[in-house]
Amino acid sequence: MKKRKNIQKHFIETFCKPVRKLYHGGKNLEIIAWLLIIICFIVAFVGLVYPIIPSILFILLGFIVYGLFFSFAELSWWFWIIEILFVILLFVADTLANLIGVKKFGGTKAGLWGSTIGLLAGPFIIPFLGIIIGPFIGAVIGEMLVAKKEFSQAVRAGIGSLVGFLTSVATKTMIQLVMIIVFVIAIA
C-alpha cells in the first residue's frame, strides 16, 4: 500500500505538478484529464467496429488515467474484480456470437477463419463498408475454397458471419456501457 502511494506521489510530482503550475491551479488539468478519459472511452467504442483497435484496452486505460490524475482509492478491489469479470464476459460473448452465427447458418471453421480475415482486412480494402462486407466475403471465400461448399451454402455461411459480427458488436456495446456505468458509480 505504501509503495503504491509512493509511486502515485512520484507520478504526481514528476508529471502533474509542473502541468498544474502551467495551467494555474490545476483546474485546467482536471479538464484535460476528463477529456483524456472520455477520448479513451470513445476510441473503445470505435474499436467495436474496427477490430484493429483494442477496445477493451482503451476502457481500462480510461480507468487508469482517472486513477493517475485523481485517485485510485475510489476504484476499490471490488471495482477491479467486477471489471475483470466484464472483460472475460466480453471475450466470451465475442467468440460465442461469431461462432454461433457461422455455425447456425451451416458454416465451418473455414468460414469462421475467412470471416475473421475479412473482418481484419475489409476496412483497409473497402473503407467504411469493408467492416460489413469483409466478414461476409471472407466467410464465402473460406467456405468455397477450403470447405469446398457450393456457392449458395457459402453465401449462407457468409450471412451467418455477418449476423454473428453484428450480434457481437451489439453485445460488446452493452457490456462496455455497463463497464463505464460501474466506473461512474464507483467514482460518484
Side-chain angles (χ1 to χ4, degrees):
M1 184 72 167
K2 188 174 183 177
K3 185 176 182 180
R4 182 170 55 173
K5 285 188 178 187
N6 287 340
I7 292 171
Q8 190 174 5
K9 182 179 176 185
H10 174 71
F11 176 83
I12 289 169
E13 288 174 359
T14 306
F15 297 105
C16 297
K17 283 187 180 176
V19 175
R20 280 200 174 121
K21 286 179 186 173
L22 182 67
Y23 288 104
H24 309 293
K27 190 64 176 170
N28 290 335
L29 184 63
E30 285 183 26
I31 294 169
I32 291 170
W34 280 111
L35 283 173
L36 287 173
I37 293 165
I38 291 168
I39 288 169
C40 286
F41 292 162
I42 290 170
V43 170
F45 283 101
V46 171
L48 292 174
V49 291
Y50 282 101
I52 201 81
I53 299 171
S55 59
I56 194 62
L57 292 181
F58 280 94
I59 293 277
L60 296 174
L61 181 62
F63 302 157
I64 292 169
V65 167
Y66 177 85
L68 291 174
F69 277 93
F70 298 103
S71 173
F72 281 104
E74 295 170 355
L75 305 177
S76 68
W77 62 276
W78 278 107
F79 168 81
W80 290 108
I81 288 174
I82 290 168
E83 294 298 343
I84 289 169
L85 290 174
F86 277 123
V87 169
I88 293 167
L89 179 64
L90 193 121
F91 283 119
V92 169
D94 185 30
T95 304
L96 286 178
N98 288 321
L99 183 67
I100 290 170
V102 172
K103 292 287 185 183
K104 186 152 182 99
F105 284 78
T108 63
K109 285 185 182 180
L112 190 59
W113 278 103
S115 171
T116 303
I117 292 168
L119 181 63
L120 295 173
F124 296 107
I125 296 170
I126 310 168
F128 185 67
L129 288 177
I131 198 69
I132 294 175
I133 296 171
F136 174 80
I137 292 173
V140 171
I141 291 171
E143 291 292 338
M144 289 179 69
L145 292 180
V146 178
K148 307 290 185 206
K149 292 210 174 178
E150 293 180 18
F151 181 72
S152 62
Q153 290 175 324
V155 167
R156 187 177 155 112
I159 291 170
S161 75
L162 188 59
V163 168
F165 170 70
L166 294 174
T167 303
S168 171
V169 168
T171 304
K172 291 190 296 185
T173 299
M174 298 304 292
I175 293 170
Q176 286 187 188
L177 281 172
V178 170
M179 290 176 76
I180 293 171
I181 289 168
V182 168
F183 168 70
V184 169
I185 291 170
I187 64 171

